[in-house]
Protein backbone atom coordinates (compact mmCIF):
# COMPACT_ATOMS: atom_id res chain seq x y z
CA UNK A 1 0.00 0.00 0.00
CA UNK A 2 1.32 3.39 -1.02
CA UNK A 3 1.61 6.03 1.66
CA UNK A 4 -1.38 8.43 1.63
CA UNK A 5 -1.35 12.19 1.62
CA UNK A 6 -3.55 14.32 3.91
CA UNK A 7 -6.15 14.56 1.12
CA UNK A 8 -6.33 10.76 1.19
CA UNK A 9 -4.67 10.26 -2.19
CA UNK A 10 -1.65 8.09 -2.88
CA UNK A 11 1.67 9.85 -2.43
CA UNK A 12 2.53 9.70 -6.15
CA UNK A 13 -0.78 11.26 -7.12
CA UNK A 14 -0.45 13.79 -4.34
CA UNK A 15 2.98 14.90 -5.52
CA UNK A 16 2.03 15.01 -9.20
CA UNK A 17 -1.27 16.81 -8.62
CA UNK A 18 -0.15 18.96 -5.70
CA UNK A 19 -2.83 21.53 -4.95
CA UNK A 20 -0.46 24.25 -3.86
CA UNK A 21 -0.43 27.22 -6.23
CA UNK A 22 2.05 30.02 -5.55
CA UNK A 23 0.38 33.37 -4.86
CA UNK A 24 -0.16 35.77 -7.76
CA UNK A 25 1.52 39.15 -7.88
CA UNK A 26 5.18 38.21 -7.71
CA UNK A 27 7.18 41.08 -9.21
CA UNK A 28 10.86 41.07 -10.12
CA UNK A 29 13.01 42.14 -13.07
CA UNK A 30 13.96 38.76 -14.58
CA UNK A 31 11.59 37.09 -17.00
CA UNK A 32 10.54 33.73 -15.54
CA UNK A 33 12.05 30.58 -17.02
CA UNK A 34 8.95 28.76 -18.25
CA UNK A 35 9.81 25.21 -19.25
CA UNK A 36 7.19 23.21 -21.12
CA UNK A 37 6.61 20.60 -23.71
CA UNK A 38 2.92 20.19 -22.71
CA UNK A 39 0.93 23.38 -22.41
CA UNK A 40 -2.43 23.09 -20.63
CA UNK A 41 -5.85 24.15 -21.94
CA UNK A 42 -8.86 25.11 -19.82
CA UNK A 43 -11.13 22.71 -21.73
CA UNK A 44 -11.51 20.90 -25.03
CA UNK A 45 -13.09 23.89 -26.75
CA UNK A 46 -10.09 26.06 -25.85
CA UNK A 47 -7.75 23.34 -27.13
CA UNK A 48 -9.64 23.09 -30.44
CA UNK A 49 -9.72 26.87 -30.83
CA UNK A 50 -6.00 27.24 -30.24
CA UNK A 51 -3.77 28.32 -33.11
CA UNK A 52 -0.06 27.61 -32.69
CA UNK A 53 0.89 30.49 -34.98
CA UNK A 54 -0.86 33.00 -32.72
CA UNK A 55 1.66 34.34 -30.23
CA UNK A 56 -0.98 35.85 -27.98
CA UNK A 57 -1.58 32.34 -26.58
CA UNK A 58 0.24 29.07 -25.94
CA UNK A 59 -0.21 25.67 -27.55
CA UNK A 60 2.93 23.56 -27.27
CA UNK A 61 6.47 24.03 -26.00
CA UNK A 62 7.96 23.93 -29.51
CA UNK A 63 6.09 27.13 -30.36
CA UNK A 64 7.20 28.97 -27.25
CA UNK A 65 6.54 29.91 -23.66
CA UNK A 66 6.45 33.40 -22.05
CA UNK A 67 10.26 33.21 -21.81
CA UNK A 68 10.92 32.72 -25.53
CA UNK A 69 8.09 35.06 -26.58
CA UNK A 70 9.75 37.80 -24.52
CA UNK A 71 13.16 37.29 -26.11
CA UNK A 72 11.59 37.26 -29.58
CA UNK A 73 9.79 40.53 -28.89
CA UNK A 74 12.95 42.23 -27.60
CA UNK A 75 15.04 41.08 -30.57
CA UNK A 76 12.39 42.34 -33.00
CA UNK A 77 12.49 45.68 -31.18
CA UNK A 78 16.30 45.95 -31.45
CA UNK A 79 16.13 45.42 -35.23
CA UNK A 80 13.03 47.61 -35.71
CA UNK A 81 11.26 44.49 -36.94
CA UNK A 82 7.85 43.08 -36.06
CA UNK A 83 8.28 39.32 -35.88
CA UNK A 84 10.99 37.01 -34.64
CA UNK A 85 11.52 33.28 -34.44
CA UNK A 86 14.26 31.63 -32.38
CA UNK A 87 16.39 28.70 -33.53
CA UNK A 88 18.86 26.41 -31.71
CA UNK A 89 21.90 28.03 -33.40
CA UNK A 90 22.80 30.75 -35.85
CA UNK A 91 23.36 28.12 -38.51
CA UNK A 92 19.88 26.70 -37.84
CA UNK A 93 18.53 30.22 -38.49
CA UNK A 94 20.27 30.24 -41.90
CA UNK A 95 18.87 26.76 -42.63
CA UNK A 96 15.40 27.91 -41.60
CA UNK A 97 15.50 30.81 -44.07
CA UNK A 98 16.65 28.53 -46.91
CA UNK A 99 13.99 25.90 -46.11
CA UNK A 100 11.23 28.49 -45.78
CA UNK A 101 11.89 30.31 -49.04
CA UNK A 102 13.58 27.87 -51.42
CA UNK A 103 12.30 24.83 -53.22
CA UNK A 104 13.37 22.41 -55.90
CA UNK A 105 14.08 24.36 -59.12
CA UNK A 106 14.82 27.67 -57.39
CA UNK A 107 18.02 29.68 -57.57
CA UNK A 108 19.79 31.39 -54.65
CA UNK A 109 22.68 33.90 -54.67
CA UNK A 110 25.25 33.81 -51.87
CA UNK A 111 28.21 36.16 -51.35
CA UNK A 112 31.57 34.56 -51.98
CA UNK A 113 32.74 35.64 -48.49
CA UNK A 114 29.70 34.13 -46.69
CA UNK A 115 29.97 32.41 -43.32
CA UNK A 116 31.53 29.02 -44.24
CA UNK A 117 28.69 26.72 -43.13
CA UNK A 118 26.20 28.87 -45.10
CA UNK A 119 28.21 27.95 -48.22
CA UNK A 120 28.40 24.33 -47.17
CA UNK A 121 24.63 24.20 -46.66
CA UNK A 122 24.11 25.79 -50.09
CA UNK A 123 26.31 23.10 -51.63
CA UNK A 124 24.15 20.45 -50.01
CA UNK A 125 20.93 22.12 -51.21
CA UNK A 126 22.42 22.16 -54.68
CA UNK A 127 23.63 18.54 -54.74
CA UNK A 128 20.70 16.91 -52.97
CA UNK A 129 17.67 19.21 -53.22
CA UNK A 130 17.70 20.62 -56.76
CA UNK A 131 18.34 24.24 -55.75
CA UNK A 132 20.78 26.13 -57.99
CA UNK A 133 23.40 28.23 -56.20
CA UNK A 134 25.69 30.97 -57.49
CA UNK A 135 28.30 32.84 -55.49
CA UNK A 136 28.79 36.54 -56.10
CA UNK A 137 31.56 39.05 -55.45
CA UNK A 138 30.56 40.68 -52.13
CA UNK A 139 31.46 44.10 -53.60
CA UNK A 140 29.19 43.60 -56.63
CA UNK A 141 26.60 46.22 -55.59
CA UNK A 142 23.89 46.96 -58.17
CA UNK A 143 25.64 44.77 -60.77
CA UNK A 144 24.03 41.84 -58.96
CA UNK A 145 21.07 42.51 -61.27
CA UNK A 146 22.91 40.64 -64.04
CA UNK A 147 23.07 37.47 -61.87
CA UNK A 148 19.35 37.39 -61.09
CA UNK A 149 17.57 34.70 -63.08
CA UNK A 150 13.92 33.92 -63.75
CA UNK A 151 13.99 31.37 -60.89
CA UNK A 152 16.04 33.40 -58.38
CA UNK A 153 14.07 33.52 -55.12
CA UNK A 154 16.57 34.59 -52.49
CA UNK A 155 19.76 36.64 -52.18
CA UNK A 156 21.90 36.29 -49.07
CA UNK A 157 24.12 39.14 -47.91
CA UNK A 158 26.50 39.37 -44.98
CA UNK A 159 27.45 42.75 -43.57
CA UNK A 160 30.41 42.46 -43.49
CA UNK A 161 31.75 38.99 -44.37
CA UNK A 162 32.99 37.64 -41.05
CA UNK A 163 36.49 36.57 -42.19
CA UNK A 164 37.57 38.81 -45.08
CA UNK A 165 35.37 41.72 -43.87
CA UNK A 166 34.21 43.27 -47.19
CA UNK A 167 31.22 45.56 -46.62
CA UNK A 168 28.50 45.01 -49.24
CA UNK A 169 26.24 47.70 -50.71
CA UNK A 170 23.10 46.45 -48.97
CA UNK A 171 20.69 49.10 -50.38
CA UNK A 172 21.91 48.49 -53.96
CA UNK A 173 21.55 44.72 -53.62
CA UNK A 174 18.05 45.14 -52.15
CA UNK A 175 16.98 47.55 -54.91
CA UNK A 176 18.16 45.16 -57.64
CA UNK A 177 16.50 42.20 -55.90
CA UNK A 178 13.17 43.95 -55.34
CA UNK A 179 13.04 45.11 -58.96
CA UNK A 180 12.81 41.40 -59.82
CA UNK A 181 10.63 40.31 -56.88
CA UNK A 182 13.51 38.56 -55.12
CA UNK A 183 13.88 38.45 -51.31
CA UNK A 184 17.04 39.59 -49.51
CA UNK A 185 18.19 37.88 -46.31
CA UNK A 186 20.98 39.52 -44.33
CA UNK A 187 23.29 37.88 -41.83
CA UNK A 188 23.47 40.90 -39.49
CA UNK A 189 25.48 39.20 -36.73
CA UNK A 190 28.53 41.50 -36.86
CA UNK A 191 26.50 44.62 -36.08
CA UNK A 192 24.30 42.82 -33.51
CA UNK A 193 21.40 44.81 -34.96
CA UNK A 194 22.88 47.88 -33.25
CA UNK A 195 25.25 49.32 -35.84
CA UNK A 196 23.14 48.61 -38.96
CA UNK A 197 19.47 49.39 -39.40
CA UNK A 198 18.98 46.63 -41.96
CA UNK A 199 15.22 46.97 -42.60
CA UNK A 200 15.70 50.70 -43.35
CA UNK A 201 18.16 49.66 -46.06
CA UNK A 202 15.61 47.39 -47.70
CA UNK A 203 16.43 43.98 -46.24
CA UNK A 204 13.44 41.59 -46.03
CA UNK A 205 14.78 39.00 -43.60
CA UNK A 206 17.37 39.55 -40.85
CA UNK A 207 19.28 36.62 -39.40
CA UNK A 208 21.25 36.86 -36.16
CA UNK A 209 23.63 34.41 -34.48
CA UNK A 210 22.63 35.22 -30.87
CA UNK A 211 25.58 33.00 -29.97
CA UNK A 212 27.73 36.10 -30.42
CA UNK A 213 26.94 39.49 -28.82
CA UNK A 214 23.40 38.85 -27.60
CA UNK A 215 24.55 35.93 -25.46
CA UNK A 216 27.89 37.58 -24.78
CA UNK A 217 29.07 34.71 -22.62
CA UNK A 218 30.63 32.22 -25.08
CA UNK A 219 28.28 29.68 -23.51
CA UNK A 220 25.08 29.57 -25.59
CA UNK A 221 24.23 28.57 -29.15
CA UNK A 222 21.12 30.30 -30.51
CA UNK A 223 19.85 32.08 -33.59
CA UNK A 224 16.99 34.32 -34.65
CA UNK A 225 15.19 35.31 -37.83
CA UNK A 226 13.48 38.68 -37.77
CA UNK A 227 10.98 40.08 -40.27
CA UNK A 228 8.47 42.88 -40.74
CA UNK A 229 6.13 41.27 -43.26
CA UNK A 230 3.61 38.89 -41.61
CA UNK A 231 3.48 36.68 -44.74
CA UNK A 232 7.24 36.11 -44.58
CA UNK A 233 6.98 35.38 -40.85
CA UNK A 234 4.24 32.81 -41.45
CA UNK A 235 6.43 30.96 -43.96
CA UNK A 236 9.25 30.96 -41.43
CA UNK A 237 6.90 29.65 -38.72
CA UNK A 238 5.72 26.82 -40.96
CA UNK A 239 9.29 25.73 -41.71
CA UNK A 240 10.23 26.17 -38.04
CA UNK A 241 7.39 23.87 -36.98
CA UNK A 242 8.13 21.27 -39.67
CA UNK A 243 11.82 21.17 -38.79
CA UNK A 244 11.05 21.18 -35.05
CA UNK A 245 13.64 23.84 -34.23
CA UNK A 246 12.80 24.27 -30.55
CA UNK A 247 15.09 26.13 -28.13
CA UNK A 248 15.78 25.39 -24.46
CA UNK A 249 14.34 27.96 -22.06
CA UNK A 250 17.42 27.95 -19.81
CA UNK A 251 19.42 29.08 -22.84
CA UNK A 252 16.78 31.67 -23.74
CA UNK A 253 17.06 32.98 -20.20
CA UNK A 254 20.85 33.34 -20.51
CA UNK A 255 20.39 35.51 -23.60
CA UNK A 256 17.64 37.56 -21.92
CA UNK A 257 19.90 38.09 -18.92
CA UNK A 258 22.68 39.63 -21.02
CA UNK A 259 20.46 41.64 -23.37
CA UNK A 260 20.25 44.82 -21.22
CA UNK A 261 24.03 45.29 -21.55
CA UNK A 262 24.12 44.44 -25.28
CA UNK A 263 24.61 47.99 -26.51
CA UNK A 264 27.14 48.92 -23.79
CA UNK A 265 29.18 45.79 -24.47
CA UNK A 266 28.98 46.29 -28.22
CA UNK A 267 30.22 49.89 -27.96
CA UNK A 268 33.07 48.77 -25.68
CA UNK A 269 34.09 45.99 -28.13
CA UNK A 270 33.93 48.57 -30.94
CA UNK A 271 36.07 51.17 -29.19
CA UNK A 272 38.77 48.70 -28.18
CA UNK A 273 38.80 46.93 -31.58
CA UNK A 274 39.19 50.22 -33.45
CA UNK A 275 42.05 51.26 -31.19
CA UNK A 276 43.84 47.95 -31.76
CA UNK A 277 43.10 47.94 -35.50
CA UNK A 278 44.57 51.44 -35.82
CA UNK A 279 47.64 50.40 -33.86
CA UNK A 280 48.08 47.31 -36.07
CA UNK A 281 47.74 49.53 -39.15
CA UNK A 282 51.02 51.22 -38.26
CA UNK A 283 52.95 48.01 -37.65
CA UNK A 284 55.57 46.77 -40.16
CA UNK A 285 54.47 43.13 -39.63
CA UNK A 286 51.01 43.90 -41.07
CA UNK A 287 50.31 44.35 -44.77
CA UNK A 288 46.66 45.36 -44.43
CA UNK A 289 44.07 45.73 -41.68
CA UNK A 290 40.63 44.49 -42.74
CA UNK A 291 38.41 46.47 -40.38
CA UNK A 292 35.40 48.19 -41.98
CA UNK A 293 36.13 51.46 -40.15
CA UNK A 294 39.62 51.65 -41.69
CA UNK A 295 40.08 52.95 -45.25
CA UNK A 296 42.08 49.86 -46.35
CA UNK A 297 39.01 47.64 -45.88
CA UNK A 298 37.06 46.91 -49.09
CA UNK A 299 33.68 48.61 -48.74
CA UNK A 300 34.89 51.09 -46.11
CA UNK A 301 32.93 53.93 -47.80
CA UNK A 302 29.73 51.87 -47.57
CA UNK A 303 30.39 51.22 -43.89
CA UNK A 304 30.71 54.98 -43.39
CA UNK A 305 27.48 55.58 -45.25
CA UNK A 306 25.31 52.84 -43.74
CA UNK A 307 26.65 51.88 -40.28
CA UNK A 308 26.63 53.71 -36.96
CA UNK A 309 29.37 51.60 -35.35
CA UNK A 310 31.52 48.51 -35.72
CA UNK A 311 31.78 45.11 -34.10
CA UNK A 312 34.82 43.80 -32.25
CA UNK A 313 35.72 41.38 -35.03
CA UNK A 314 38.29 42.18 -37.72
CA UNK A 315 41.12 40.55 -39.65
CA UNK A 316 44.66 41.41 -40.70
CA UNK A 317 46.84 40.27 -43.58
CA UNK A 318 50.42 39.77 -42.48
CA UNK A 319 53.24 41.05 -44.63
CA UNK A 320 54.05 38.43 -47.25
CA UNK A 321 57.56 37.89 -45.86
CA UNK A 322 55.99 35.86 -43.02
CA UNK A 323 55.36 32.16 -43.60
CA UNK A 324 52.37 30.31 -42.19
CA UNK A 325 54.71 28.68 -39.66
CA UNK A 326 55.62 32.16 -38.42
CA UNK A 327 52.07 33.48 -38.20
CA UNK A 328 51.06 30.22 -36.46
CA UNK A 329 53.85 30.93 -33.96
CA UNK A 330 52.42 34.45 -33.55
CA UNK A 331 48.98 33.04 -32.69
CA UNK A 332 50.45 30.37 -30.40
CA UNK A 333 52.51 33.02 -28.59
CA UNK A 334 49.50 35.16 -27.63
CA UNK A 335 48.61 34.83 -23.96
CA UNK A 336 45.42 36.86 -23.45
CA UNK A 337 44.04 36.04 -26.90
CA UNK A 338 42.87 32.42 -26.91
CA UNK A 339 42.51 30.20 -29.99
CA UNK A 340 38.93 29.27 -30.77
CA UNK A 341 35.95 29.82 -33.07
CA UNK A 342 33.02 32.13 -32.48
CA UNK A 343 33.17 35.63 -31.00
CA UNK A 344 31.17 38.26 -29.16
CA UNK A 345 32.12 37.20 -25.64
CA UNK A 346 34.24 38.95 -23.01
CA UNK A 347 37.37 36.97 -23.94
CA UNK A 348 39.59 37.93 -26.86
CA UNK A 349 40.17 35.28 -29.51
CA UNK A 350 42.49 34.85 -32.48
CA UNK A 351 42.17 32.43 -35.43
CA UNK A 352 44.29 32.07 -38.58
CA UNK A 353 42.35 31.28 -41.78
CA UNK A 354 43.55 29.73 -45.04
CA UNK A 355 41.64 32.32 -47.00
CA UNK A 356 43.21 31.32 -50.34
CA UNK A 357 41.53 27.89 -49.95
CA UNK A 358 38.19 29.41 -48.94
CA UNK A 359 37.88 31.82 -51.87
CA UNK A 360 38.33 31.11 -55.55
CA UNK A 361 39.03 34.74 -56.44
CA UNK A 362 41.32 35.79 -53.58
CA UNK A 363 44.04 38.12 -54.95
CA UNK A 364 45.82 39.35 -51.83
CA UNK A 365 49.09 37.97 -50.53
CA UNK A 366 49.89 37.42 -46.87
CA UNK A 367 48.42 35.14 -44.19
CA UNK A 368 45.01 36.17 -42.82
CA UNK A 369 44.51 36.20 -39.06
CA UNK A 370 41.21 37.16 -37.44
CA UNK A 371 40.89 38.88 -34.07
CA UNK A 372 37.86 38.99 -31.82
CA UNK A 373 38.46 41.82 -29.38
CA UNK A 374 36.95 41.01 -26.00
CA UNK A 375 36.43 43.28 -23.03
CA UNK A 376 39.91 43.11 -21.49
CA UNK A 377 41.85 46.39 -21.11
CA UNK A 378 42.96 47.53 -24.55
CA UNK A 379 46.55 48.32 -23.50
CA UNK A 380 47.03 44.79 -22.20
CA UNK A 381 45.78 43.34 -25.49
CA UNK A 382 48.20 45.53 -27.46
CA UNK A 383 51.07 44.49 -25.18
CA UNK A 384 50.11 40.86 -25.79
CA UNK A 385 50.14 41.29 -29.57
CA UNK A 386 53.46 43.14 -29.37
CA UNK A 387 55.18 40.29 -27.48
CA UNK A 388 53.71 37.74 -29.95
CA UNK A 389 55.14 39.77 -32.87
CA UNK A 390 58.54 39.56 -31.16
CA UNK A 391 58.17 35.79 -30.66
CA UNK A 392 57.26 35.32 -34.34
C1 LIG B 1 28.68 32.34 -35.69
C2 LIG B 1 28.04 32.79 -36.92
C3 LIG B 1 26.95 32.13 -37.46
C4 LIG B 1 26.41 30.84 -36.89
O1 LIG B 1 26.09 30.89 -35.55
P1 LIG B 1 26.13 29.55 -34.67
O2 LIG B 1 25.25 29.89 -33.51
O3 LIG B 1 27.56 29.32 -34.29
O4 LIG B 1 25.57 28.44 -35.50
C5 LIG B 1 26.38 32.66 -38.59
N1 LIG B 1 26.84 33.77 -39.17
C6 LIG B 1 27.90 34.44 -38.68
C7 LIG B 1 28.37 35.67 -39.37
C8 LIG B 1 28.54 33.97 -37.54
O5 LIG B 1 29.60 34.62 -37.08
Amino acid sequence: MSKKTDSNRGLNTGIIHSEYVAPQGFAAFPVGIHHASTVLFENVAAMRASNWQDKSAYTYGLHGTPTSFTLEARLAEIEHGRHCVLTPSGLAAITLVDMAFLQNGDHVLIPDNAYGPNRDLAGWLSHSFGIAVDYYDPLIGSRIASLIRENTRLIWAEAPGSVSMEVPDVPAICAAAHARGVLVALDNTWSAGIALNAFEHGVDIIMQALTKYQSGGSDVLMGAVITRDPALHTRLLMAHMRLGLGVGMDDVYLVLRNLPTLQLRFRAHDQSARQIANWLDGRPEIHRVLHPALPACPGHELWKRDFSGAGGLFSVLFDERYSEAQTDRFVDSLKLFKIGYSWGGAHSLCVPYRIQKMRSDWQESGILVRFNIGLEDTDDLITDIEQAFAAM
Side-chain angles (χ1 to χ4, degrees):
M1 267 267 290
S2 166
K3 188 179 169 187
K4 297 272 183 186
T5 64
D6 291 347
S7 57
N8 203 33
R9 298 196 289 188
L11 188 58
N12 291 328
T13 308
I15 291 170
I16 295 168
H17 292 268
S18 168
E19 272 149 30
Y20 175 78
V21 178
Q24 298 289 304
F26 175 73
F29 291 119
V31 177
I33 307 177
H34 296 274
H35 287 285
S37 47
T38 302
V39 169
L40 303 180
F41 300 97
E42 275 294 309
N43 50 44
V44 174
M47 186 187 78
R48 291 202 174 120
S50 75
N51 169 13
W52 65 268
Q53 294 181 17
D54 175 6
K55 296 214 174 185
S56 64
Y58 307 99
T59 41
Y60 188 59
L62 177 65
H63 310 302
T65 75
T67 315
S68 58
F69 283 8
T70 304
L71 180 58
E72 288 170 348
R74 291 185 186 173
L75 293 169
E77 196 173 334
I78 291 170
E79 300 274 6
H80 301 290
R82 252 172 241 127
H83 311 283
C84 174
V85 54
L86 299 176
T87 59
S89 70
L91 181 55
I94 295 172
T95 311
L96 176 65
V97 171
D98 284 351
M99 291 298 177
F101 298 107
L102 296 172
Q103 63 183 41
N104 188 3
D106 287 349
H107 175 236
V108 58
L109 286 165
I110 295 178
D112 204 29
N113 61 352
Y115 175 66
N118 186 343
R119 275 188 85 120
D120 191 273
L121 170 66
W124 189 41
L125 294 178
S126 155
H127 294 136
S128 304
F129 296 90
I131 293 162
V133 182
D134 276 316
Y135 298 96
Y136 67 87
D137 171 1
L139 298 169
I140 196 167
S142 59
R143 285 178 295 117
I144 199 161
S146 66
L147 300 180
I148 296 175
R149 302 189 204 159
E150 210 53 51
N151 58 340
T152 307
R153 294 286 170 269
L154 179 68
I155 299 176
W156 273 101
E158 206 174 307
S162 62
V163 175
S164 47
M165 309 305 296
E166 300 92 339
V167 184
D169 191 337
V170 174
I173 290 171
C174 291
H178 294 162
R180 301 281 298 274
V182 176
L183 294 170
V184 177
L186 179 77
D187 184 334
N188 201 22
T189 304
W190 186 74
S191 85
I194 289 175
L196 180 69
N197 223 336
F199 286 128
E200 296 304 322
H201 290 101
V203 167
D204 302 291
I205 301 149
I206 294 176
M207 172 260 147
Q208 280 285 346
L210 308 177
T211 307
K212 310 294 164 49
Y213 293 117
Q214 289 82 355
S215 125
S218 312
D219 54 356
V220 177
L221 285 159
M222 200 173 293
V225 183
I226 299 143
T227 46
R228 281 183 167 176
D229 180 340
L232 298 183
H233 179 60
T234 300
R235 286 189 62 168
L236 287 161
L237 279 183
M238 290 307 295
H240 184 267
M241 180 271 285
R242 288 167 176 158
L243 293 166
L245 299 179
V247 292
M249 295 303 149
D250 287 323
D251 286 348
V252 172
Y253 179 77
L254 288 175
V255 179
L256 275 169
R257 191 174 196 276
N258 279 349
L259 217 52
T261 58
L262 173 64
Q263 179 161 233
L264 290 174
R265 287 182 287 111
F266 185 84
R267 300 287 178 212
H269 286 290
D270 180 3
Q271 196 180 350
S272 187
R274 278 202 233 189
Q275 204 176 322
I276 293 168
N278 276 307
W279 178 80
L280 284 165
D281 199 30
R283 291 292 305 199
E285 295 86 352
I286 300 301
H287 162 58
R288 197 196 255 262
V289 179
L290 302 172
H291 184 303
L294 268 67
C297 188
H300 164 70
E301 291 302 323
L302 299 168
W303 175 82
K304 259 193 353 203
R305 187 190 69 189
D306 297 340
F307 289 68
S308 62
L313 190 81
F314 68 90
S315 297
V316 297
L317 291 168
F318 274 79
D319 189 277
E320 60 186 355
R321 71 178 178 274
Y322 295 106
S323 65
E324 188 175 67
Q326 284 176 294
T327 56
D328 284 357
R329 199 172 316 134
F330 164 79
V331 177
D332 284 338
S333 302
L334 291 164
K335 294 186 170 73
L336 293 176
F337 285 86
K338 304 298 179 192
I339 303 165
Y341 294 115
S342 199
W343 41 284
H347 296 77
S348 289
L349 297 168
C350 187
V351 180
Y353 282 88
R354 289 183 165 152
I355 187 77
Q356 288 83 359
K357 293 218 167 75
M358 296 160 68
R359 297 277 294 280
S360 49
D361 61 339
W362 191 256
Q363 304 288 348
E364 301 266 350
S365 57
I367 308 284
L368 186 146
V369 172
R370 186 178 83 171
F371 294 96
N372 163 57
I373 305 303
L375 297 173
E376 301 93 341
D377 292 292
T378 310
D379 291 347
D380 294 333
L381 295 175
I382 288 177
T383 304
D384 192 26
I385 296 173
E386 208 162 17
Q387 65 78 26
F389 277 153
M392 171 172 75

